[in-house]
Amino acid sequence: RVGFVYGLSGLYGAMASATFARQLLSVGASGAVFGLIGSTLCDILLNWDVQSNPCCAFVRLILLTTLELLFGTVPMVDNFAHAFGFAMGFVSSMLFLDRLRKRPQCIATFSRRLFRFIAACAVVIAFAAGVIALYGLGDRGAIEICPQCAMISCSSFPWGCESWDSSTCWWTCDTMQAPLGCSGNATWTVSRVEASVQLSCPSRMGGMVQVVVTPVDVSRWDERHLLKLCKENCPVH
């Protein structure tokens, strides 16, 4: 049963990562590991009356998970896999895990079966929605539909700082969210305020895709400006 929870969590975390961060590569089993953390939380709730000190264990696990997910918002960490793997681990555990102290009453048996049925439906719906989001959006990425979802995996810190001003942020997410390998050249005839930028965007099918963006203000042309243009204009193939 734990193997099923582990596998489903890892698979769902990988699907979430591929859906929300198509331009990035991610490796590791952290999504499945977070699924086991979600499973532990579910087990505490299912067997509350068996635990020696369930309230303390529940609070400790909630604080630990919250800190780990917050630390996951630094750049170059795939927190999509963490968050969605944790959620799948929690939900799927309602389906696979048992109560250690079962009550023989008919209503208790009915409630257990009802919760398992709801959990099974939730798992199926979650994977169906994940497949649709992964393959059914065409060239549109999930981040384009839900821009705020990018904050799940990466947030500028301290929260609320201006990402374009490096003096106010400890770190920003421009590098993480921009397509890897993107480059660009700026040209202008009259003024740098109305320049033309030719971007070379990496394609998932191999090679590069040329994208021309105009007009662009390149009076403060630097790597951060280029990454911002790449993030906003490079197509997702």
Side-chain angles (χ1 to χ4, degrees), residues 17-235:
S17 177
T19 300
F20 287 97
R22 296 187 177 186
Q23 75 277 19
L24 299 177
L25 296 177
S26 170
V27 296
S30 55
V33 172
F34 269 80
L36 295 183
I37 297 176
S39 178
T40 304
L41 183 63
C42 180
D43 183 59
I44 293 175
L45 295 176
L46 281 175
N47 297 290
W48 190 272
D49 55 339
V50 179
Q51 306 285 337
S52 58
N53 194 351
C55 186
C56 184
F58 178 79
V59 172
R60 280 203 305 262
L61 190 58
I62 287 292
L63 290 177
L64 176 64
T65 304
T66 302
L67 287 175
E68 288 177 339
L69 290 176
L70 286 177
F71 287 142
T73 60
V74 301
M76 308 309 295
V77 175
D78 186 3
N79 214 32
F80 289 121
H82 298 169
F84 285 88
F86 174 84
M88 179 54 64
F90 182 84
V91 174
S92 61
S93 293
M94 295 182 183
L95 173 62
F96 293 111
L97 299 187
D98 269 334
R99 283 182 55 86
L100 298 179
R101 185 179 296 170
K102 299 179 181 180
R103 291 176 294 178
Q105 293 88 347
C106 179
I107 189 168
T109 303
F110 174 77
S111 64
R112 287 197 302 268
R113 292 177 179 176
L114 178 61
F115 272 110
R116 284 191 169 183
F117 174 75
I118 295 174
C121 292
V123 170
V124 172
I125 292 173
F127 271 98
V131 171
I132 292 173
L134 183 58
Y135 296 105
L137 298 179
D139 291 337
R140 301 182 64 191
I143 291 296
E144 297 179 31
I145 299 175
C146 179
Q148 297 302 321
C149 293
M151 297 179 65
I152 296 175
S153 188
C154 187
S155 298
S156 300
F157 188 83
W159 298 297
C161 71
E162 300 292 343
S163 60
W164 53 266
D165 188 356
S166 59
S167 63
T168 64
C169 294
W170 293 10
W171 65 73
T172 66
C173 304
D174 294 339
T175 302
M176 180 180 180
Q177 296 174 353
L180 298 177
C182 176
S183 60
N185 295 312
T187 58
W188 62 90
T189 55
V190 179
S191 172
R192 293 170 64 97
V193 178
E194 297 183 353
S196 176
V197 176
Q198 182 173 1
L199 301 175
S200 295
C201 303
S203 172
R204 298 181 70 188
M205 305 302 295
M208 307 295 288
V209 177
Q210 303 299 318
V211 177
V212 177
V213 184
T214 185
V216 179
D217 183 1
V218 295
S219 56
R220 295 178 58 186
W221 182 251
D222 54 18
E223 183 179 359
R224 181 166 297 185
H225 194 181
L226 172 61
L227 291 174
K228 183 174 183 294
L229 289 176
C230 291
K231 174 186 170 184
E232 294 176 348
N233 297 281
C234 281

